[in-house]
């Protein structure tokens, strides 16, 4: 009888000791993090504001930490494909996402159903930048924003505009602009902002709203004309381009943001370390200069602040999409 009980007693003893060892093992894993490359998914095209901004910021974070960040673009379904991959990853600090509100607030609200919850399946790490926008036209189109409005009023729905996709920030910005100026234009959606901007510069489509980071090289090369800035004041990158108010039009503000996220359940010490390192990188003069030169305003935040920004933006953009009757392609 004594012999038959021995295995079960050993099992009970082993189970009783398990909690004693689990916590130290987890703590040890966090203490040695990172000890291998950290994968970062940007769920939008290469060359997009999210891509460029994430590479600049995490390049400095990696340098400061002595860590390696392997950044991969995974576009698809307006960012939902890449975001799903981030949400489903192991919450061990080795998968992150450089995600804009175009994915979590725009694409998610437009989709009939998503495989992840944008408000509950991610751990916000911190905001990296606000993204400035500009209304641009090719050299054969309107020369000023008031001229564009006059053309659109004279020929309702005859003037086309490009966007990075149905329900994208480019689309929503033009919808808001059209409503403010009581005009109707025809939407030409693309499968990404980069190609849309290139085609506007090439004359295939007359106008669009674009992130400054994407349009600026084409503006500098004289292939795009900047008509007006949807901001309170002129950008130092485009000091000759008026705001909409300065152009004598209804006040119109529009911007988006770029944040760093991790899968839900990523340990708080890792989130806090990443947040601190992002803020440290954004304070670096060289990083700030590079971001500002791309039309990205360095804008650190706490994890809680980014979470609140995500929640409020999700509700606000959802209302705009519903009110405008925007549907998925």
């Amino acid at each position: 009888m004594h012999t038959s009980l021995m295995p079960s007693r050993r099992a009970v003893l082993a189970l009783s000791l398990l909690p004693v060892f689990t916590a130290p093992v987890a703590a040890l894993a966090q203490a040695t993090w990172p000890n291998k490359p950290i994968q970062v998914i940007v769920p939008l095209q290469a060359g997009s504001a999210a891509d460029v901004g994430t590479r600049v910021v995490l390049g400095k974070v990696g340098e400061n930490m002595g860590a390696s960040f392997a950044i991969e673009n995974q576009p698809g379904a307006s960012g939902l494909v890449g975001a799903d991959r981030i949400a489903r990853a192991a919450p061990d600090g080795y998968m992150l996402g450089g995600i804009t509100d175009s994915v979590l607030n725009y694409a998610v609200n437009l989709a009939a159903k998503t495989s992840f919850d944008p408000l509950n399946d991610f751990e916000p790490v911190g905001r990296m930048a606000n993204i400035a926008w500009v209304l641009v036209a090719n050299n054969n189109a309107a020369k000023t924003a008031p001229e564009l409005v006059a053309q659109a009023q004279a020929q309702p729905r005859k003037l086309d505009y490009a966007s990075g996709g149905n329900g994208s920030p480019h689309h929503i910005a033009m919808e808001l602009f059209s409503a403010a100026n009581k005009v109707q234009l025809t939407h030409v959606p693309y499968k990404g902002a980069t190609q849309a901007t290139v085609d506007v510069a090439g004359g295939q489509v007359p106008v669009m709203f674009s992130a400054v980071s994407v349009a600026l090289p084409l503006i500098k090369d004289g292939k795009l004309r900047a008509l007006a800035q949807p901001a309170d004041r002129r950008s130092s990158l485009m000091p000759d381009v008026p705001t909409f108010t300065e152009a004598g039009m209804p006040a119109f503000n529009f911007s988006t943001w770029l944040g760093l996220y991790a899968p839900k359940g990523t340990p708080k010490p890792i989130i806090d370390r990443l947040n601190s390192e992002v803020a440290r990188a954004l304070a670096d003069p060289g990083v700030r200069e590079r971001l500002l030169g791309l039309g990205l305003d360095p804008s650190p935040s706490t994890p809680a602040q980014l979470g609140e920004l995500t929640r409020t933006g999700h509700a606000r953009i959802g209302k705009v999409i519903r009110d405008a009757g925007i549907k998925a392609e």
Side-chain angles (χ1 to χ4, degrees):
M1 186 73 175
H2 176 77
T3 302
S4 64
L5 290 175
M6 286 300 293
S8 62
R9 287 177 178 174
R10 288 195 184 108
V12 170
L13 179 60
L15 288 172
S16 69
L17 291 176
L18 186 59
V20 177
F21 292 106
T22 300
V25 168
L28 179 61
Q30 294 172 31
T32 60
W33 177 91
N35 57 22
K36 63 181 181 179
I38 299 169
Q39 189 167 19
V40 183
I41 301 298
V42 176
L44 298 169
Q45 288 183 326
S48 64
D51 177 54
V52 174
T54 299
R55 290 177 187 276
V56 170
V57 175
L58 294 188
K60 188 62 177 179
V61 170
E63 179 184 323
N64 290 340
M65 292 178 61
S68 174
F69 288 87
I71 299 175
E72 176 187 347
N73 294 93
Q74 189 171 7
S78 299
L80 298 180
V81 172
D84 174 75
R85 183 175 167 191
I86 299 161
R88 293 175 179 274
D92 56 6
Y94 290 100
M95 172 66 84
L96 303 173
I99 314 178
T100 66
D101 55 344
S102 69
V103 178
L104 297 183
N105 292 343
Y106 292 76
V108 168
N109 269 304
L110 190 66
K113 184 179 180 181
T114 61
S115 57
F116 61 88
D117 183 337
L119 304 183
N120 295 306
D121 286 349
F122 300 96
E123 296 287 354
V125 174
R127 183 173 54 188
M128 293 187 281
N130 278 328
I131 303 169
W133 286 71
V134 60
L135 177 63
V136 296
N138 64 52
N139 290 321
N140 297 319
K143 293 180 173 59
T144 66
E147 182 181 336
L148 172 65
V149 169
Q151 291 176 358
Q153 289 174 336
Q155 296 181 304
R157 296 195 181 280
K158 297 295 184 182
L159 190 65
D160 293 341
Y161 72 93
S163 84
N166 213 37
S168 65
H170 321 78
H171 185 187
I172 300 300
M174 189 63 82
E175 286 289 337
L176 294 171
F177 168 80
S178 299
N181 291 279
K182 297 180 174 58
V183 295
Q184 294 178 316
L185 291 82
T186 297
H187 182 210
V188 181
Y190 282 73
K191 292 183 178 180
T194 304
Q195 188 59 51
T197 311
V198 168
D199 275 11
V200 172
Q204 283 88 342
V205 186
V207 298
M208 72 179 293
F209 274 94
S210 173
V212 171
S213 58
V214 177
L216 192 59
L218 294 168
I219 294 171
K220 289 181 175 179
D221 286 345
K223 296 178 180 178
L224 281 178
R225 180 183 293 114
L227 304 186
Q229 304 180 56
D232 290 327
R233 61 183 183 275
R234 298 188 186 196
S235 166
S236 60
L237 297 173
M238 301 179 295
D240 297 329
V241 180
T243 66
F244 280 95
T245 303
E246 291 173 334
M249 304 176 69
F252 180 59
N253 283 24
F254 185 84
S255 65
T256 52
W257 45 258
L258 169 63
L260 187 64
Y261 294 79
K264 187 70 174 181
T266 300
K268 187 175 184 300
I270 292 177
I271 297 294
D272 290 344
R273 171 80 187 281
L274 284 167
N275 179 268
S276 175
E277 293 292 350
V278 167
R280 179 184 172 193
L282 292 174
D284 181 83
V287 171
R288 292 185 62 83
E289 183 178 357
R290 288 186 66 190
L291 290 176
L292 290 169
L294 293 166
L296 303 174
D297 182 18
S299 306
S301 77
T302 65
Q305 288 169 337
L306 179 57
E308 180 62 19
L309 192 65
T310 306
R311 284 189 292 274
T312 57
H314 184 269
R316 178 174 59 85
I317 297 303
K319 184 177 187 303
V320 171
I321 288 173
R322 290 190 298 273
D323 290 350
I326 298 171
K327 303 296 183 182
E329 295 174 328

